[in-house]
Amino acid sequence: KRREDVQSLLESTQSLGTVAEDPAAAEKMVEKLQQRCLESSEYLMRDMLSLDELVAATPDQRAKRKQQIVAIQDILDSVDVVSEKLRVLKRSLDEQKAEMREEKEEELARAQSEAEEFAREESAPAEQEEFQHKRSAWMDEQAQATAQREKARQQVHERLNKLSQHVLQEENWRRLKMKPRFETTQLSNGYVLKAMIPDLRKEDLSIQAEANVLVVKGSRVPNSAQINGMLQQLVLSLNNGQMDPTQLVGLTDEQLLLLVASGRYGTFNEQFELPDDADPNTIQADYERGVLTVSIRKQR
């Protein structure tokens, strides 16, 4: 099924030409295909992680698991090829839209020129001068605002490209702060803490009792597919006008990372005061299917 999905993506991508009669509609289609690529990558990565967690007891089982992992990697490579084609196509559509905007601006300039000529002929000199002054001021404000937004959008795009290529290293993500939501339950024989933290590596988790305080530390770092997906989502928000690029220009790299991660990645350090009847020597932790469970027995 995964291969069929990727083949469908490839066929849909190939059906889109580099020159579109309606660039806006074509761009929406490209964005939908990019979203499908992102979802396919995430599904495939989950499949691969599930295979890594399987315990293969026999040589046949280990060989079959290895074969499946190789097949998934091959499909991931195909998804990367489709993503690159879509990126190139998106750039081509952006160029078409820019050309169309230039043509519309030229038409608007001609219409405005004709309107000005008409105004000069019909208006008295004083009225004409006032009209020209107001219109010129309005046009200057609009042109300045448009130039500022476009400059800001380009700067943010460059920053995002830089982040994806150079800055998004593991240590950068670990500097971010995340706050998982823990739920506490009291049982007849103890206490249980639970939190949903997907894709958490066990080696990045630390649980210990210090005096009468339970300290749960950990960090969650995204893989390359998740990083690219978050950056693509931010780019789509900029292109769709859902975010004002002028508000992002002044952000630091870490602030941009925080905006992209939305509290889903980074380091957490949660502390819980242990009840008087809790036995800190009986702390047990389990992590399965993205759920962290910490249990503590009551003292007898």
Side-chain angles (χ1 to χ4, degrees), residues 7 12 30 35 88 97 101 121 126 199 233 244 259 299:
Q7 183 63 31
S12 298
V30 169
Q35 184 64 31
V88 173
K97 290 174 64 178
R101 282 197 300 269
E121 295 175 355
D199 304 325
Q233 188 62 42
D244 185 357
L259 182 63
Q299 297 178 0

Side-chain angles (χ1 to χ4, degrees), residues 244-277:
D244 185 357
T246 59
Q247 297 179 357
L248 305 181
V249 172
L251 298 182
T252 64
D253 288 343
E254 183 166 325
Q255 288 171 331
L256 273 177
L257 289 177
L258 280 169
L259 182 63
V260 172
S262 300
R264 293 174 291 173
Y265 299 97
T267 299
F268 61 90
N269 185 339
E270 300 296 320
Q271 300 183 7
F272 306 90
E273 184 175 355
L274 294 175
D276 294 337
D277 60 348

Side-chain angles (χ1 to χ4, degrees), residues 180-236:
R181 180 180 177 183
F182 281 87
E183 294 183 357
T184 306
T185 303
Q186 180 177 355
L187 305 177
S188 59
N189 61 344
Y191 303 90
V192 176
L193 292 173
K194 283 190 177 183
M196 174 68 75
I197 314 176
D199 304 325
L200 182 65
R201 297 183 302 190
K202 293 182 179 180
E203 58 267 26
D204 293 333
L205 181 65
S206 171
I207 302 174
Q208 56 186 345
E210 300 176 0
N212 65 333
V213 177
L214 176 67
V215 181
V216 183
K217 301 178 182 178
S219 58
R220 184 185 179 208
V221 178
N223 56 42
S224 58
Q226 292 167 331
I227 292 172
N228 289 331
M230 289 186 291
L231 292 175
Q232 286 179 11
Q233 188 62 42
L234 185 55
V235 170
L236 290 178

Side-chain angles (χ1 to χ4, degrees), residues 47-295:
D47 291 343
M48 186 173 292
L49 289 174
S50 298
L51 286 172
D52 285 339
E53 294 174 355
L54 289 177
V55 178
T58 67
D60 289 341
Q61 291 176 340
R62 289 193 291 272
K64 185 175 181 180
R65 183 179 66 179
K66 181 177 180 180
Q67 181 182 8
Q68 291 176 335
I69 291 176
V70 171
I72 291 176
Q73 185 60 55
D74 180 63
I75 299 175
L76 279 170
D77 292 341
S78 299
V79 173
D80 289 341
V81 171
V82 175
S83 296
E84 178 62 20
K85 290 180 179 293
L86 290 171
R87 187 185 67 80
V88 173
L89 183 56
K90 179 67 165 55
R91 186 170 61 239
S92 175
L93 291 172
D94 286 342
E95 293 172 354
Q96 284 184 249
K97 290 174 64 178
E99 292 176 358
M100 293 178 66
R101 282 197 300 269
E102 291 178 358
E103 292 176 357
K104 289 182 178 180
E105 289 173 356
E106 291 175 357
E107 292 177 359
L108 178 61
R110 286 195 297 269
Q112 291 174 343
S113 178
E114 293 173 358
E116 290 172 2
E117 183 65 25
F118 177 80
R120 283 194 295 269
E121 295 175 355
E122 297 294 328
S123 302
E127 294 176 344
Q128 180 180 353
E129 182 178 355
E130 182 180 0
F131 170 80
Q132 286 284 54
H133 177 74
K134 291 182 178 180
R135 180 185 175 281
S136 178
W138 179 82
M139 290 184 63
D140 289 343
E141 291 176 357
Q142 295 299 313
Q144 185 177 5
T146 300
Q148 288 177 347
R149 284 195 297 270
E150 181 61 23
K151 181 179 179 181
R153 189 182 69 83
Q154 293 177 358
Q155 290 176 346
V156 173
H157 273 276
E158 292 174 0
R159 291 274 302 283
L160 292 176
N161 289 333
K162 181 181 177 182
L163 283 173
S164 64
Q165 296 170 13
H166 303 292
V167 180
L168 291 179
Q169 303 300 322
E170 188 167 299
E171 57 267 37
N172 296 97
W173 290 105
R174 293 187 187 277
R175 285 202 297 268
L176 302 182
K177 301 298 181 184
M178 63 177 295
K179 192 170 183 63
R181 180 180 177 183
F182 281 87
E183 294 183 357
T184 306
T185 303
Q186 180 177 355
L187 305 177
S188 59
N189 61 344
Y191 303 90
V192 176
L193 292 173
K194 283 190 177 183
M196 174 68 75
I197 314 176
D199 304 325
L200 182 65
R201 297 183 302 190
K202 293 182 179 180
E203 58 267 26
D204 293 333
L205 181 65
S206 171
I207 302 174
Q208 56 186 345
E210 300 176 0
N212 65 333
V213 177
L214 176 67
V215 181
V216 183
K217 301 178 182 178
S219 58
R220 184 185 179 208
V221 178
N223 56 42
S224 58
Q226 292 167 331
I227 292 172
N228 289 331
M230 289 186 291
L231 292 175
Q232 286 179 11
Q233 188 62 42
L234 185 55
V235 170
L236 290 178
S237 297
L238 288 171
N239 292 339
N240 293 337
Q242 297 174 353
M243 301 185 69
D244 185 357
T246 59
Q247 297 179 357
L248 305 181
V249 172
L251 298 182
T252 64
D253 288 343
E254 183 166 325
Q255 288 171 331
L256 273 177
L257 289 177
L258 280 169
L259 182 63
V260 172
S262 300
R264 293 174 291 173
Y265 299 97
T267 299
F268 61 90
N269 185 339
E270 300 296 320
Q271 300 183 7
F272 306 90
E273 184 175 355
L274 294 175
D276 294 337
D277 60 348
D279 187 353
N281 297 319
T282 63
I283 297 176
Q284 291 184 340
D286 180 64
Y287 182 78
E288 185 176 359
R289 296 185 179 181
V291 178
L292 173 63
T293 304
V294 182
S295 58

